[in-house]
Amino acid sequence: TEPSRLNKSFVHTESSCSIASKKDIKLSTSHLHRRVTTKVFHCKANDNLLPTCNGEITTMSFLQDVVDILLQYVVKSFDRSTKVIDFHYPNELLQEYNWELADQPQTLEEILLNCRTTLKYAIKTGHPRYFNQLSTGLDMVGLAADWLTSAANTNMFTYEIAPVFVLLEYVTLRKMREMVGWPGGCGDGIFSPGGAISNMYAMLIARFKMFPEVKEKGMAAIPRLVAFTSEHSHFSVKKGAAALGIGTDSVILIRCDERGKMIPSDLERRIVEAKQKGFVPFLVSATAGTTVYGAFDPLIAIADICKKYKIWMHVDGAWGGGLLMSRKHKWKLNGIERANSVTWNPHKMMGVPLQCSALLVREEGLMQSCNQMHASYLFQQDKHYDLSYDTGDKALQCGRHVDVFKLWLMWRAKGTTGFEAQIDKCLELAEYLYNKIKNREGYEMVFDGKPQHTNVCFWYIPPSLRGMENSEERTSRLMKVAPVIKARMMEYGTTMVSYQPLGDKVNFFRMVISNPAATHQDIDFLIDEIERLGQDL
């Protein structure tokens, strides 16, 4: 790694920081544009950075070097000639570097080396050939917003300490509710630490809506509740049931068709069955964009069933919610406007930097009633502004990170049409991949037909298996193919794509595309790389 300007020629004395070199730094603020000659010190971070007396120049120099490191990383992230990952096994990294915390402070030189080392071994999730997770890409406006948010370093619980951020959350959530289809953007919502927590919020609020006494008296005061979700749904539905004391056995999994969509007739059958056993159905969690297949449950039919049996309808659109931005693809979420609550993760398909997950609730005031505890040291009732903007009492958290600014600023920079173009491009790339491999020698699709989302699920069949009839031996050998290719991908550092088994299907590749930097050439590269790394298996 190239040494930082701070690393070039430092001299350290025990009594003080010694001047080692001079340089020019351009300081730029909204009030000031000037050049100053600064002196760079080999000094201890805790003694020489702001707010220490006369720490301005050292601090500016240090932060400038940090920004240089970050900008170099950003440039490398989009450079296809660089590795997606410089992979080392855990024991190698632990042995090669000293990661332990010490009693004495490090020097700024050492701190900068720590920054470089950390990024050296970080996964370049913005790399055009990183396809491993649902959240990929690196948006420059979102990155800038994240930096600004960290500099502001405030909390979202009251208007008095986060006035602009609270207003932006109000405006953005209302716009998202409009896109769901609730008239005038009516309702409520909150940004949470992720889709799993948003889904748990939905379960919490649905339970409170049906049995408000549970807030004070607990689960012992109410009947046995049951929730319903598809067998392809996200594991967070069961996690939420466990966390809320409902229990994972009270989450009933509904059968899916061959494309991974919930079967409404099975949902209704299981609801009737649960009621006959004396259980109380309180929530159906439909999925708009399943994690593996990218399937969209039939929301209109599910909404009809929920209305018939008076059950809260939640839509987990963490992965597929972004398609609401696309005039071409939003039909896949028809019926979402009938939901009582919706999870939507802009940090997935929309490329907002992690974390950014929204829970949207159709009924206004319900979140507040469910969660408020009237903490008088935060939510005083005699403040001099409209108290409805103190949002903290409707959240489970007290401290809550500012997640909205990244989304809001990106939306301002792109407009809805910009997000639409980005999403449409990713779906077109998925279709391009599907068309290239569906009839290609050495590939088998996990399910028939064009994928609904950017999930393309397939097996790579090495030459040694292509002539074999289906048998236990072939299945056993095929199960090992994807893990070995994935391991080789990581060791070479060329690309990353996920794999998993599902039901009776052994390990297959699940390709997902959410990075607008990806191109047809990157898809071609992935195909060639899979074949290169798997030919000898």
Side-chain angles (χ1 to χ4, degrees), residues 18 70 135 138 198 211 301 305 324 335 367 405 423 471 522 525:
S18 302
L70 294 173
S135 47
L138 182 57
S198 291
F211 295 103
I305 293 169
L324 290 170
M367 289 191 75
F405 190 64
I423 289 164
S471 63
D522 297 313
F525 176 87

Side-chain angles (χ1 to χ4, degrees), residues 31-46:
H31 304 293
L32 177 65
H33 293 275
R34 62 187 175 92
R35 295 185 68 83
V36 296
T37 301
T38 66
K39 298 176 180 178
V40 182
F41 302 96
H42 182 74
C43 49
K44 301 256 176 110
N46 66 328

Side-chain angles (χ1 to χ4, degrees), residues 179-293:
M179 302 196 78
V180 165
W182 297 334
C186 67
D188 208 340
I190 202 163
F191 283 92
S192 83
I197 303 301
S198 291
N199 288 340
M200 187 175 73
Y201 266 120
M203 188 172 284
L204 177 72
I205 297 164
R207 182 179 66 177
F208 177 82
K209 174 69 175 177
M210 185 172 282
F211 295 103
E213 64 269 27
V214 73
K215 180 177 177 180
E216 289 81 22
K217 298 179 180 178
M219 289 293 293
I222 65 174
R224 169 78 180 272
L225 302 180
V226 287
F228 305 85
T229 192
S230 89
E231 58 189 356
H232 283 215
S233 66
H234 195 261
F235 66 86
S236 59
V237 179
K238 281 196 168 186
K239 272 204 170 186
L244 295 176
I246 294 166
T248 58
D249 287 348
S250 296
V251 177
I252 298 172
L253 299 182
I254 307 302
R255 289 192 298 111
C256 293
D257 63 19
E258 68 281 356
R259 295 294 302 268
K261 299 180 181 183
M262 184 192 292
I263 300 173
S265 60
D266 191 54
L267 171 63
E268 185 164 18
R269 181 181 69 83
R270 299 302 297 274
I271 290 173
V272 171
E273 187 180 272
K275 289 171 71 70
Q276 289 172 345
K277 292 179 179 178
F279 302 151
V280 178
F282 82 107
L283 174 134
V284 173
S285 180
T287 311
T290 58
T291 306
V292 180
Y293 281 9

